[in-house]
Amino acid sequence: MTREEKFMNEAIRIGIEGMRNNFGGPFGCVIVKDDEIIGRGCNSVILTNDPTAHAEVVAIRDACKKLESFQLDDCEIYTTCEPCPMCMGAIYWARPAKVYYANSRTDAANIGFDDSFIYDEIALPLSERKMVMQCVKTDAAKTMFDEWKKMNNKTLY
């Protein structure tokens, strides 16, 4: 068995456990650094009533807490399915070195987890999206951004 299969099998085990306990859908994830699992997560949407509690997000939160860092430098993510748009955003913000996945987004759609509407919506101009998005410009919001821009002690991420 390759190291990739070993870590993917652990992600699968976690996903099956969460699924069987009715925490959420059939998804699991582990995050690895220096050949050690430092983060674990299964889909916990139902358990937590949190639509953002996807396996990857749960694992990222776990790993970042252990690392005491908001980035996953030199880490690898092993997830049982090609990440959805939300999880891809979280993964890009966390900046791991590599992502391994097992099932594809088409495989997920075939069992009822179809994210194609989100991919389609993201590609549309704001005015054409199904969800109304309206900008509310305020002086206070601009002031907040101006203050951030001028701060000397900020941590960029």
Side-chain angles (χ1 to χ4, degrees), residues 74-92:
D74 303 317
C75 293
E76 298 170 335
I77 294 179
Y78 292 80
T79 183
T80 59
C81 191
E82 181 180 353
C84 75
M86 177 186 69
C87 292
M88 280 305 300
I91 288 166
Y92 272 97

Side-chain angles (χ1 to χ4, degrees), residues 31-87:
I31 298 177
V32 175
K33 183 170 183 155
D34 300 325
D35 280 334
E36 179 185 338
I37 294 174
I38 59 161
R40 290 175 168 80
C42 68
N43 182 293
S44 301
V45 169
I46 294 169
L47 175 69
T48 61
N49 292 315
D50 178 354
T52 69
H54 289 198
E56 297 91 337
V57 172
V58 173
I60 288 169
R61 289 173 181 163
D62 186 40
C64 287
K65 185 176 181 179
K66 285 183 181 134
L67 291 174
E68 297 181 347
S69 174
F70 52 82
Q71 292 188 326
L72 298 175
D73 297 327
D74 303 317
C75 293
E76 298 170 335
I77 294 179
Y78 292 80
T79 183
T80 59
C81 191
E82 181 180 353
C84 75
M86 177 186 69
C87 292

Side-chain angles (χ1 to χ4, degrees), residues 13 18 20 28-29 31 34 38-39 46 48 60 72-74 78 90 93 103 107-108 111 113 126 129 141 147 151:
R13 187 194 68 72
R20 289 179 180 164
C29 182
I31 298 177
D34 300 325
I38 59 161
I46 294 169
T48 61
I60 288 169
L72 298 175
D73 297 327
D74 303 317
Y78 292 80
W93 279 113
N103 296 303
D107 297 327
I111 63 164
F113 294 91
L126 290 176
R129 293 184 183 170
E147 182 178 333
M151 282 178 61

Side-chain angles (χ1 to χ4, degrees), residues 4-5 7 17-18 26 29 34 41 43 73 76-77 83 102 120 123 126 128 132-135 142-144 148:
E4 289 83 7
E5 290 170 328
F7 293 125
E17 184 178 307
C29 182
D34 300 325
N43 182 293
D73 297 327
E76 298 170 335
I77 294 179
D120 294 345
L126 290 176
E128 294 178 28
V132 175
M133 299 188 76
Q134 182 174 338
C135 182
K142 183 180 180 328
T143 299
M144 175 178 63
W148 170 261

